[in-house]
Amino acid sequence: MSTITTSDGTEIFYKDWGLKDATPIVFHHGWPLSADDWDNQMLFFLHRGYRVIAHDRRGHGRSSQTDTGNEMDSYAADVVALAAALDLKGAIHIGHSTGGGEVVRYAARAEPGRIAKAVIIGAVPPVMVQKDSNPEGLPIAVFDGFRDALLANRAQFFRDIPTGPFFGFNRDGAAVSQGLIDNWWRQGMMGGAKAHYDCIKAFSETDFTEDLKALDIPVLVMHGEDDQIVPIHDSALKAIALLKHGTLKTYPGLPHGMCATHPEVVNADLLAFIEA
């Protein structure tokens, strides 16, 4: 396996496919998944001549099951270390859900020349939780419910999410894919329970407002209008207003997991943005 070791001794697993002098695209997965969640997109762009890279966030997948550092600053620092180790230049960073938050936090702190463009898909920025400065957010009780369900029976919880709201399989007429459900569960159960528990706070309570304002690169914001996990009105529609060079694309009827349910739609729009 390919890994790097961070300054605190954490081993970060990564995939790195394609010619090393090709334009690099770095993929950042959502909670509680792994680099495998990007298989479709990685193959799509590899076949078009790009260098494609995806890592397992600390505590997730094949990376160290850390009991500390499971928060956005450490996640972004791990990406800084990965970009330096692979000497990535002019990279495009693409993040889904929690990974979109990781991309935004990283991009605001990246070494000069490391990142050229960013894409956030169904992403958590600016901030998910309801508070005085974000009255439209989701109540903390929603995320407490996530924590309680994880503590009670993580294996069942990781069945319930993909079977229902993540892919929109709870909608009337949905074309349910048991393969997607099983693969979601498989990825989730690879990771560490402590890291997954801590990451709920990271994705729900981290405020990315200043990170979004600081970005001076082109950013594509993609969001399904039927996203039941990260409601569009309190995420993409707010994030776009904070970006200097942002482009918003929304998708009627598409769910949170649209990269997996509708890859032909997502991949075409990613390619157009990257090659623009």
Side-chain angles (χ1 to χ4, degrees), residues 64-168:
S64 298
Q65 292 196 9
T66 48
D67 65 333
T68 58
N70 302 304
E71 33 70 25
M72 280 294 164
D73 285 345
S74 292
Y75 296 160
D78 292 344
V79 180
V80 169
L82 180 66
L86 300 183
D87 194 24
L88 302 182
K89 297 173 183 175
I92 296 96
H93 285 256
I94 301 174
H96 175 246
S97 196
T98 300
E102 181 178 275
V103 165
V104 168
R105 180 58 52 96
Y106 165 72
R109 292 157 174 72
E111 297 176 10
R114 294 286 188 202
I115 181 169
K117 295 182 179 181
V119 183
I120 56 175
I121 306 172
V124 297
V127 60
M128 287 192 74
V129 76
Q130 184 181 70
K131 55 182 181 177
D132 289 345
S133 60
N134 188 42
E136 302 87 5
L138 294 172
I140 190 69
V142 171
F143 306 107
D144 288 340
F146 273 43
R147 282 181 274 263
D148 290 344
L150 189 149
L151 288 172
N153 189 339
R154 182 170 69 129
Q156 185 58 51
F157 185 39
F158 285 4
R159 289 283 185 205
D160 295 341
I161 295 173
T163 302
F166 192 92
F167 296 116

Side-chain angles (χ1 to χ4, degrees), residues 16-256:
D16 183 2
W17 304 342
L19 297 174
K20 299 306 179 271
D21 59 352
T23 300
I25 304 176
V26 185
F27 296 91
H28 304 244
H29 65 80
W31 175 93
L33 304 174
S34 73
D36 295 354
D37 203 43
W38 291 107
D39 283 352
N40 185 291
Q41 283 72 36
M42 290 185 71
L43 290 170
F44 176 87
F45 283 101
L46 176 66
H47 292 156
R48 283 156 182 80
Y50 290 90
R51 178 184 182 185
V52 292
I53 299 152
H55 69 291
D56 291 351
R57 186 171 302 115
R58 65 168 56 213
H60 296 64
R62 290 138 295 202
S63 292
S64 298
Q65 292 196 9
T66 48
D67 65 333
T68 58
N70 302 304
E71 33 70 25
M72 280 294 164
D73 285 345
S74 292
Y75 296 160
D78 292 344
V79 180
V80 169
L82 180 66
L86 300 183
D87 194 24
L88 302 182
K89 297 173 183 175
I92 296 96
H93 285 256
I94 301 174
H96 175 246
S97 196
T98 300
E102 181 178 275
V103 165
V104 168
R105 180 58 52 96
Y106 165 72
R109 292 157 174 72
E111 297 176 10
R114 294 286 188 202
I115 181 169
K117 295 182 179 181
V119 183
I120 56 175
I121 306 172
V124 297
V127 60
M128 287 192 74
V129 76
Q130 184 181 70
K131 55 182 181 177
D132 289 345
S133 60
N134 188 42
E136 302 87 5
L138 294 172
I140 190 69
V142 171
F143 306 107
D144 288 340
F146 273 43
R147 282 181 274 263
D148 290 344
L150 189 149
L151 288 172
N153 189 339
R154 182 170 69 129
Q156 185 58 51
F157 185 39
F158 285 4
R159 289 283 185 205
D160 295 341
I161 295 173
T163 302
F166 192 92
F167 296 116
F169 292 159
N170 56 345
R171 298 303 198 202
D172 290 342
V176 176
S177 167
Q178 190 62 46
L180 287 181
I181 294 169
D182 292 347
N183 192 41
W184 202 101
W185 184 88
R186 176 191 68 83
Q187 291 180 73
M189 295 306 294
M190 287 169 64
K194 175 63 164 59
H196 288 166
Y197 185 91
D198 291 350
C199 190
I200 295 170
K201 180 180 177 69
F203 74 65
S204 64
E205 298 184 40
T206 304
D207 192 329
F208 300 95
T209 299
E210 296 308 314
D211 301 297
L212 290 164
K213 290 179 179 178
L215 299 187
D216 200 26
I217 57 173
V219 180
L220 175 61
V221 180
M222 305 170 71
H223 216 104
E225 293 181 14
D226 192 33
D227 191 323
Q228 301 173 66
I229 303 295
V230 181
I232 189 172
H233 69 272
D234 198 47
S235 53
L237 300 187
K238 290 186 175 180
I240 192 64
L242 298 170
L243 291 164
K244 296 173 186 173
H245 310 292
T247 301
L248 175 66
K249 288 190 71 71
T250 68
Y251 300 83
L254 294 199
H256 187 63

